[in-house]
């Protein structure tokens, strides 16, 4: 019998069969010997070094892989409750301690099930193989699978089981962009892994089988079913008692948002990339102590999530916030999106660093240029009347948000109420190049196109900036005109152990202290914005704060920015995909969040005045003219001026005139019953507006009963519209007779009527406010106007196509 078996074993075909059967094993062993241990698992198995990112007080915000920024935190088995590794083994590899990196029994089972069911029913990868798959990139081919198996054998030969399990718990995905059970525990349950309950441990152990499929933020029903199966396996393996498993099954999966869910992901990514602080870009780091206030960060993150729910009615899905400490430039809170992991809402976009149109939020800096270049002050009268500018694209005529014109407005009112027309006027008069120059000086480097590209529309935010840049520009106003770069990190430790201190950067003056003080006082004045925003809006806080809102074209972006002496808060609300919101403006969309964040940021601080008015002088003025009040001025207000820009002349707009009580017209010496009353006198620029607005203007005619001087020797009239060089294009889809423009003229006081001449032909006569409808006729045309006294304007040329 023995000799028969020996002859059988020595048979050539038996030896050949054994060779065929053993050759894959031999090949795997040889490949394992040739494959180096993955560098990521070298040493203690944790592999690539991680970077610890802490808040300003040293509390851990996040630990991330130095090579990719994926959320992770190394773990040690000694720091974990026993239920955590047991849950992982029950879920993924119950025979972990009994195999050598490959599990032949599991492979045979999976092969048999595939043959029986004619499809893949279960996998046979060991925990070690899964670790290799998450560590070494390989093609999804048979050759790639064989290499994975060979590396698994090498890992088992080089590392002990404890180290392999620790590496698995540190490196394997527990959700999209979440690596390691410690990171998952803090993300989903806001607690370290050492405090996980049995139910929570089993739930987390269920995720690596399908990190996206079982992502608890997409719903917990599917995850709960898998968790219960893991608990069944733990009970069957004797890892837990039946009573403990039953209690765990009855425990619901309740997610709790913590620091990471609170929005620190964007901040950590921005810090490590050097986007906020260039000193950290490209450095090999092991630890970074940031400027973030973790308590404030958590509160701000919760407010951002609440805002997303509130703004759903306006079809807005995203919001971002930054809070800056003014004296140092430190970033105290930073939320880039309501939910970093919201793939549908593009949550990994960073709203603090994204470029968006700022709308009216640039206006304070436009007026700063006007103060510097044009000698303007808070009482300067600006025109809020119809304005036309010639651009390469044709006629540009800005409109106010409320669709109205407000005539002559003081700079304080123009900025406080965010009127568009005066801001564009100032930008045009000062020069778009000068406006752009200042905007870049205050840190808005994203405005990288030429001044010709932006034009005077830069005053209305016709460009793109980041929230971080814009908030720091407002912090510059809070510092009295000194720009200080943002600081996100206070200290860093490099890979070689060297420590790098990162003190606040030096400040650089970019605005005069007086200009910054005037702007801060205007932005903090609730009366200055009363006409546009009324009382009780979200811009009113329980303490003094300078505030400005902005709304971009098409309602795509809402902004609210402001400051106290201590902190600056910047808020953006919109959609990351650029779609417009429904009827939401800065005051309704971003301002409520701004108010809540500012109140939170100031809770432990004593508010100081946002504007340092110590260098300014308070002077009484007439609110209509902005000049010193005269005896006829019915009202007086106080205004702040720099010492070198005090108003000199008395009011020229309130005048006392004699009125015929019968006709209401001006009375000459012949009317003994004439009454002397105070009326308003407007310049040519505002005369038509004043009449249309029903202002109590000086009558332009004398009473026939007692006429005064009939001389019309005032200044020559002028053409107000169209402007010289204007070009009009007729719409071929509209009847020619229905296409016309409104000719407008300006004339001095006392002129009763003007005549309009187009190409030398009289086309009409008009009394104040001196307008005439003219049907568009193709060709080149010249227009001038004349008064009844014979005074003639300069002609203007325009074309109709």
């Amino acid at each position: 019998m023995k000799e028969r078996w020996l002859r059988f074993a020595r048979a050539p075909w038996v030896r050949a069969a054994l060779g065929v059967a053993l050759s894959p094993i031999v090949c795997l062993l040889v490949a394992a010997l040739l494959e180096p241990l993955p560098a990521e698992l070298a040493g203690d198995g944790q592999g690539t070094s991680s970077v610890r990112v802490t808040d300003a007080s040293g509390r851990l915000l996040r630990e991330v892989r130095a090579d990719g920024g994926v959320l992770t935190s190394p773990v040690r088995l000694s720091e974990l409750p026993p239920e955590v590794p047991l849950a992982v083994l029950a879920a993924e590899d119950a025979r972990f301690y009994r195999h050598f990196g490959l599990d032949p029994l599991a492979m045979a089972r999976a092969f048999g099930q595939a043959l029986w069911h004619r499809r893949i029913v279960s996998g046979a990868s060991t925990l070690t193989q899964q670790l290799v798959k998450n560590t070494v990139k390989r093609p999804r081919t048979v050759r790639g699978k064989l290499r994975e198996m060979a590396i698994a054998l090498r890992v088992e030969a080089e590392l002990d089981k404890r180290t392999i399990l620790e590496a698995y718990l540190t490196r394997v995905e527990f959700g999209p962009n979440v690596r390691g059970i410690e990171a998952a525990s803090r993300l989903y349950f806001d607690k370290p892994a050492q405090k996980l309950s049995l139910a929570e441990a089993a739930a987390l152990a269920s995720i690596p089988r399908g990190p996206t499929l079982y992502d608890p933020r997409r719903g917990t029903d599917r995850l709960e079913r898998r968790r219960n199966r893991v608990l069944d396996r733990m009970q069957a393996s004797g890892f837990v008692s039946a009573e403990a498993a039953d209690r765990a099954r009855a425990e619901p999966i309740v997610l709790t948002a913590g620091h990471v869910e609170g929005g620190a992901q964007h901040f950590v990514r921005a810090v490590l990339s050097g986007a906020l602080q260039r000193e950290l870009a490209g450095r090999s780091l092991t630890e970074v102590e940031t400027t973030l206030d973790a308590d404030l960060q958590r509160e701000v993150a919760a407010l951002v999530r609440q805002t997303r729910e509130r703004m759903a009615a306006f079809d807005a899905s995203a919001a971002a916030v930054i809070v800056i400490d003014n004296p140092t430039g430190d970033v105290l809170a930073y939320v880039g999106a309501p939910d970093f992991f919201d793939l549908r809402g593009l949550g990994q976009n960073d709203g603090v660093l994204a470029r968006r149109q700022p709308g009216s939020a640039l206006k304070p800096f436009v007026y700063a240029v006007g103060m510097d270049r044009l000698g303007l002050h808070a009482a300067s009268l600006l025109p809020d009347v119809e304005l036309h500018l010639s651009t390469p694209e044709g006629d540009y005529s800005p409109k106010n948000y409320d669709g109205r014109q407000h005539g002559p407005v003081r700079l304080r009112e123009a900025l406080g109420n965010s009127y568009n027309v005066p801001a564009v006027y100032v930008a045009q008069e000062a020069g778009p190049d000068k406006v752009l120059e200042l905007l870049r000086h205050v840190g808005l480097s994203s405005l990288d196109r030429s001044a010709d590209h932006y034009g005077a529309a830069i005053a209305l935010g016709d460009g793109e900036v980041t929230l971080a840049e814009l908030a720091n520009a407002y912090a510059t106003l809070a510092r009295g005109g000194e720009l200080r770069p943002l600081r996100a990190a206070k200290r860093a430790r490099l890979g070689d152990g060297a420590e790098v201190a990162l003190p606040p950067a030096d400040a650089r003056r970019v605005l005069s202290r007086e200009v910054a003080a005037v702007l801060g006082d205007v932005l903090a004045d609730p009366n200055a914005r009363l006409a546009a925003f009324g009382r009780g809006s979200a811009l009113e806080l329980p303490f003094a704060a300078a505030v400005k809102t902005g709304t971009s074209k098409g309602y795509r972006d809402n902004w609210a920015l402001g400051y106290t002496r201590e902190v600056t808060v910047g808020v953006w609300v919109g959609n990351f995909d650029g779609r417009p919101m429904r009827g939401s403006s800065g005051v309704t969309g971003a301002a409520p969040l701004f108010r809540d964040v500012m109140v939170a940021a100031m809770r432990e601080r004593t508010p100081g005045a946002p504007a340092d008015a110590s260098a300014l002088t308070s002077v009484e003025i007439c609110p209509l003219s902005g000049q010193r009040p005269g005896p006829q001025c019915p009202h007086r207000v106080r205004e702040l001026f720099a010492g070198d820009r005090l108003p000199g002349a008395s009011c020229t707009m309130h005048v006392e005139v004699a009125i015929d009580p019968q006709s209401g017209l001006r009375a000459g010496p012949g009317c003994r019953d004439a009454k002397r009353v105070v009326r308003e006198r407007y310049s040519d620029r505002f005369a038509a507006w004043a009449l249309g607005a029903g202002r109590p203007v000086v009558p332009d005619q004398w009473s026939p009963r007692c006429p005064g001087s009939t001389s019309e020797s005032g200044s020559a009239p002028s053409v107000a519209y169209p402007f010289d060089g204007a070009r009009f294009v007729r719409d071929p889809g509209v009847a020619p007779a229905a296409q016309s423009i409104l000719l407008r003229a300006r004339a001095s006081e006392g002129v009763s009527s003007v005549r309009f001449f187009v190409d030398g032909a009289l086309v009409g006569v008009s009394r104040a406010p001196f307008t005439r409808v003219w049907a568009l006729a193709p060709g080149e045309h010249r227009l001038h106007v004349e008064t009844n006294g014979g005074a003639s304007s300069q002609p203007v040329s325009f074309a109709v196509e």
Side-chain angles (χ1 to χ4, degrees), residues 614-635:
S614 59
L616 304 178
T617 302
S618 177
V619 177
E620 193 175 62
I621 63 167
C622 168
L624 179 65
S625 66
Q627 300 168 314
R628 290 183 183 271
Q632 289 80 31
C633 295
H635 305 290

Side-chain angles (χ1 to χ4, degrees), residues 50-194:
S50 61
V51 184
R52 286 176 53 86
V53 183
T54 67
D55 79 341
S57 62
R59 285 180 290 182
L60 181 66
L61 288 173
R62 181 54 35 212
E63 193 156 356
V64 302
R65 287 182 60 198
D67 62 349
V70 177
L71 301 178
T72 187
S73 290
V75 297
R76 303 294 180 192
L77 288 180
S78 60
E79 300 171 352
L80 298 176
E83 292 83 3
V84 171
L86 290 176
V88 170
L89 294 179
E92 297 297 332
D93 191 354
R95 290 171 42 80
F96 174 68
Y97 285 103
R98 289 176 284 173
H99 63 64
F100 48 86
L102 305 179
D103 190 347
L105 292 180
M107 295 168 68
R109 184 202 66 236
F111 183 69
Q113 289 176 334
L115 287 178
W116 182 260
H117 294 282
R118 296 185 180 180
R119 61 183 176 85
I120 296 176
V121 175
S122 63
S125 293
T126 64
L127 186 146
T128 310
Q129 287 177 267
Q130 294 179 45
L131 174 61
V132 171
K133 186 193 307 183
N134 279 268
T135 304
V136 180
K137 293 182 178 180
R138 66 167 181 83
R140 299 178 64 87
T141 61
V142 173
R143 183 176 180 180
K145 184 67 174 178
L146 292 174
R147 181 168 182 253
E148 174 193 296
M149 296 167 69
I151 297 175
L153 292 174
R154 183 57 182 260
V155 170
E156 289 274 350
E158 294 276 350
L159 305 177
D160 59 50
K161 290 288 189 179
R162 183 184 186 88
T163 302
I164 294 172
L165 184 53
E166 286 179 342
Y168 179 92
L169 291 170
T170 297
R171 300 186 58 83
V172 169
E173 282 191 290
F174 284 79
N177 293 301
V178 182
R179 188 161 291 187
I181 199 164
E182 179 69 20
S185 179
R186 292 183 180 273
L187 174 61
Y188 302 130
F189 299 123
D190 192 24
K191 64 175 67 174
Q194 64 182 184

